[in-house]
Amino acid sequence: MSFYPRRLFISKRKKVLKGFLLGASLFLLGALSLYFVSAIAQFYLPTDWLSNPFIPVFLMALITIVAYKPLDFFFSELFEKYLFKKRSFVHIVLMNLAEELELVLDLQELANLVVNTFGEVLHLKTVALLVPERQDGVFQISAAYGWNISDYRRVAVGQDAALMELIRSSGPHVLVRNRVVRALEWRDANRLAHDFDLLRASWIIPLMVKENLVGLLAFSAQEAERVFDEADFQFFRKFAHSVARKIFNALRFLALERAHVELQDVQSRSIQATKLTAIEQLATGLAHQIHNPLTIISGKAQVLLLQKDRMELDERVHQVLTTIVKQTKRAADITKKLLMFSQGSGVAKEWLHLDQVLEDTLSLISYQTSLEAIELTKTVGPNLPVFYANVQEIREVFFNLILNAVQAIGSGGKVHVTLGYQEKERVVEIQISDTGRGIEKDNIDKLFNPFFTTRHDGLGLGLFVAKQIVHRYDGSIRVESRSGEGSLFIVRLPYAEHAAMTGAVAQASVPAESRHLT
């Protein structure tokens, strides 16, 4: 038996019992009244008076008219407060849910439990739970029943909406669409009707903790003629009061989690900044003290190798010279990487088409991927704006992350690059995924440390360089990986509003044929 038919069964049984008790009480009261009237009448009225058949009928009708409403009220109160204190299966399930939510601190899990249980037991068409966003207090749907995910993620109710104005003025009362719309003038009624339509709702329950609105529960029924009575609304308010406290706790827990993540990010940046300062100082010294001698040593060794045809070289000497060239080149590459940080923030910047920078980077590495039979693909999202940055730095980020993915695969895998713009958050997002061997859990926190590498021929500076460049643009970089399942690197670069406006002007002022990178 489904939830809804069971509720109807309980309700029908209650009505039958109430009707039986009401009828029996009226009959008993009428019989007693007739008995007393007969006893009194025999002393004052003729003996044949009671033999008239209309007299008992009249008395019974009179008793019914006078006593029906008081008795109906009495039995309603009796059922509500004592016999049917837990009125139905629906109330039992929902109140048990409210108690079980006490231990749930994850907002998404809590929201899913509320909307799904509420929708199923009441046999509703749609249910949506809205909670406030952190930034501007706009209410967005956290979970929904009877909605498509793509539909409800676009729904938002601002503080200036007619619905929010009504809640602020009316308080924690269940809002019935037909009632509240009819009570307003046509302009306000149209605004409020729009909000109800946006939430696909016929009823809305504000979820409040004291004076704070922490959520909205909006729902509609399968049948248009479906109604709830005042007893239902009273229960909804009780349920809402209990759920609101759980949502309030979940929101506070979520805020603490976000603050903790932000604090970790600040600490990480501080540590990285300290490392960066030390490396910058070291790089300056290496540029003058090591890089030039390394170049001379490598050059002399290469000259000897080029003259091997004119002079006889022992095979061991030839191998030694080759090793000298190879190792000095490796050392020079390290100093070259480190020298990037001595430039500071004074590098030249321009308006870049990031899709073109990505395309240029992929072409640089395509030869290596073809040799290793690695499939290298990309996806560029729509409405990608121009980005104000240094082209070499952005190319370095692309190159290091893609090369890291290629080297993690080895051969015969896939690397996919996704470049898109999150318009709502004003963030450029870069995702690089691979089908490689993944990263050990203990190594994830060390990935961006300088000179950390799991490859015997690696420098351990590529990811470190990428992270420092990303941080220069106030961005973030993180990795998701499991050993044996590949890795996903996610870079997010904020796109400032003033930069967007200037960029649009700059883009419009450049002829289409000249918008390319060299």
Side-chain angles (χ1 to χ4, degrees):
M1 180 182 292
S2 65
F3 295 128
Y4 189 54
R6 183 167 182 177
R7 180 177 186 247
L8 293 178
F9 172 75
I10 294 174
S11 179
K12 185 176 180 180
R13 185 180 64 176
K14 174 184 170 182
K15 289 181 179 179
V16 170
L17 180 60
K18 180 181 175 182
F20 173 78
L21 291 176
L22 185 59
S25 299
L26 288 172
F27 177 80
L28 181 61
L29 186 60
L32 289 174
S33 299
L34 187 61
Y35 172 77
F36 285 113
V37 169
S38 300
I40 295 173
Q42 66 180 348
F43 297 104
Y44 302 102
L45 297 174
T47 54
D48 59 347
W49 180 78
L50 290 175
S51 62
N52 189 333
F54 292 102
I55 298 301
V57 174
F58 174 77
L59 287 175
M60 291 295 291
L62 182 63
I63 292 300
T64 301
I65 293 172
V66 172
Y68 178 80
K69 284 191 175 182
L71 284 175
D72 181 68
F73 178 78
F74 169 76
F75 284 117
S76 296
E77 289 292 308
L78 180 67
F79 279 29
E80 187 71 32
K81 293 184 178 180
Y82 301 102
L83 298 181
F84 285 85
K85 187 173 183 179
K86 291 184 177 179
R87 298 179 64 243
S88 68
F89 178 74
V90 170
H91 291 193
I92 295 172
V93 172
L94 292 180
M95 292 314 297
N96 286 342
L97 171 67
E99 293 177 3
E100 292 171 0
L101 293 178
E102 195 74 42
L103 300 177
V104 180
L105 289 176
D106 184 84
L107 180 62
Q108 192 60 54
E109 180 184 354
L110 186 150
N112 287 331
L113 285 170
V114 170
V115 298
N116 289 324
T117 307
F118 199 79
E120 288 175 0
V121 300
L122 287 174
H123 200 65
L124 298 172
K125 183 178 181 181
T126 62
V127 185
L129 177 63
L130 291 86
V131 296
E133 284 297 303
R134 177 177 55 170
Q135 292 86 354
D136 48 12
V138 172
F139 279 73
Q140 292 187 318
I141 296 180
S142 178
Y145 170 88
W147 287 65
N148 292 326
I149 295 179
S150 58
D151 291 338
Y152 79 71
R153 289 194 183 279
R154 296 194 297 264
V155 175
V157 179
Q159 291 293 331
D160 57 345
L163 176 61
M164 304 304 293
E165 295 174 0
L166 179 63
I167 292 174
R168 285 194 289 268
S169 61
S170 61
H173 299 290
V174 180
L175 303 179
V176 184
R177 173 182 176 134
N178 293 337
R179 291 184 187 176
V180 295
V181 170
R182 284 199 300 264
L184 300 174
E185 296 181 357
W186 69 271
R187 290 182 183 274
D188 295 333
N190 286 340
R191 290 179 59 216
L192 187 60
H194 173 268
D195 292 340
F196 272 91
D197 290 338
L198 182 67
L199 300 178
R200 302 180 185 180
S202 299
W203 301 272
I204 295 177
I205 307 174
L207 306 176
M208 303 188 74
V209 176
K210 295 183 179 179
E211 300 299 324
N212 299 318
L213 181 65
V214 299
L216 299 172
L217 191 61
F219 55 98
S220 64
Q222 295 282 4
E223 306 85 8
E225 63 275 7
R226 174 79 176 276
V227 295
F228 293 103
D229 56 27
E230 292 302 324
D232 291 319
F233 292 151
Q234 183 177 357
F235 170 75
F236 288 158
R237 287 193 292 270
K238 180 180 178 182
F239 175 74
H241 178 70
S242 179
V243 170
R245 287 186 283 110
K246 279 74 173 183
I247 293 176
F248 180 72
N249 291 336
L251 287 170
R252 293 180 65 184
F253 182 75
L254 180 61
L256 288 174
E257 276 191 325
R258 288 173 173 171
H260 179 64
V261 171
E262 290 176 356
L263 179 60
Q264 283 185 322
D265 187 56
V266 171
Q267 290 175 336
S268 175
R269 291 186 181 221
S270 177
I271 294 171
Q272 292 293 338
T274 303
K275 293 178 181 178
L276 179 59
T277 301
I279 292 174
E280 286 178 351
Q281 294 173 354
L282 178 63
T284 303
L286 288 172
H288 299 287
Q289 303 299 327
I290 298 178
H291 187 75
N292 292 338
L294 284 174
T295 304
I296 295 171
I297 294 171
S298 177
K300 295 295 185 182
Q302 291 180 56
V303 168
L304 291 174
L305 286 173
L306 290 173
Q307 294 178 352
K308 67 180 181 179
D309 294 333
R310 287 185 290 174
M311 56 186 296
E312 293 183 3
L313 292 178
D314 186 87
E315 183 63 28
R316 287 177 299 177
V317 174
H318 182 273
Q319 290 179 356
V320 170
L321 291 174
T322 303
T323 302
I324 290 173
V325 171
K326 182 178 179 181
Q327 294 303 320
T328 53
K329 183 179 183 302
R330 185 170 184 265
D333 286 341
I334 294 176
T335 59
K336 184 178 178 181
K337 288 279 187 181
L338 295 177
L339 283 171
M340 289 187 61
F341 301 102
S342 63
Q343 298 175 3
S345 60
V347 293
K349 295 181 180 180
E350 58 185 306
W351 291 104
L352 306 176
H353 294 270
L354 295 178
D355 54 340
Q356 185 62 53
V357 179
L358 175 60
E359 184 64 34
D360 293 345
T361 307
L362 294 179
S363 65
L364 291 175
I365 206 169
S366 60
Y367 178 71
Q368 180 177 346
T369 57
S370 64
L371 291 178
E372 302 292 345
I374 295 175
E375 183 181 350
L376 185 59
T377 58
K378 67 171 182 176
T379 300
V380 178
N383 304 322
L384 189 67
V386 291
F387 194 80
Y388 192 66
N390 176 263
V391 63
Q392 297 299 334
E393 289 184 333
I394 299 301
R395 184 180 287 126
E396 189 75 18
V397 172
F398 280 130
F399 183 82
N400 286 337
L401 292 177
I402 297 172
L403 182 61
N404 178 77
V406 170
Q407 292 171 341
I409 292 175
S411 62
K414 296 181 180 180
V415 175
H416 185 73
V417 183
T418 302
L419 176 61
Y421 179 55
Q422 307 295 332
E423 190 170 357
K424 183 178 179 181
E425 301 176 71
R426 306 195 70 81
V427 167
V428 173
E429 186 171 271
I430 306 160
Q431 296 188 10
I432 299 168
S433 61
D434 64 69
T435 58
R437 58 184 177 272
I439 304 168
E440 297 290 342
K441 186 177 180 180
D442 294 339
N443 290 336
I444 289 181
D445 293 336
K446 306 174 186 176
L447 278 180
F448 300 101
N449 290 344
F451 305 111
F452 174 80
T453 180
T454 57
R455 295 185 297 111
H456 68 279
D457 59 341
L459 301 179
L461 286 173
L463 294 180
F464 175 74
V465 170
K467 183 170 185 177
Q468 300 311 314
I469 294 173
V470 168
H471 282 183
R472 286 180 188 173
Y473 293 91
D474 295 324
S476 64
I477 182 171
R478 63 185 178 89
V479 59
E480 299 176 3
S481 181
R482 291 184 179 179
S483 182
E485 298 182 10
S487 304
L488 171 65
F489 284 80
I490 302 173
V491 176
R492 292 169 64 86
L493 300 172
Y495 192 65
E497 186 173 354
H498 71 277
M501 294 173 61
T502 309
V505 174
Q507 187 178 24
S509 63
V510 178
E513 61 273 11
S514 64
R515 293 175 192 165
H516 63 277
L517 294 173
T518 58

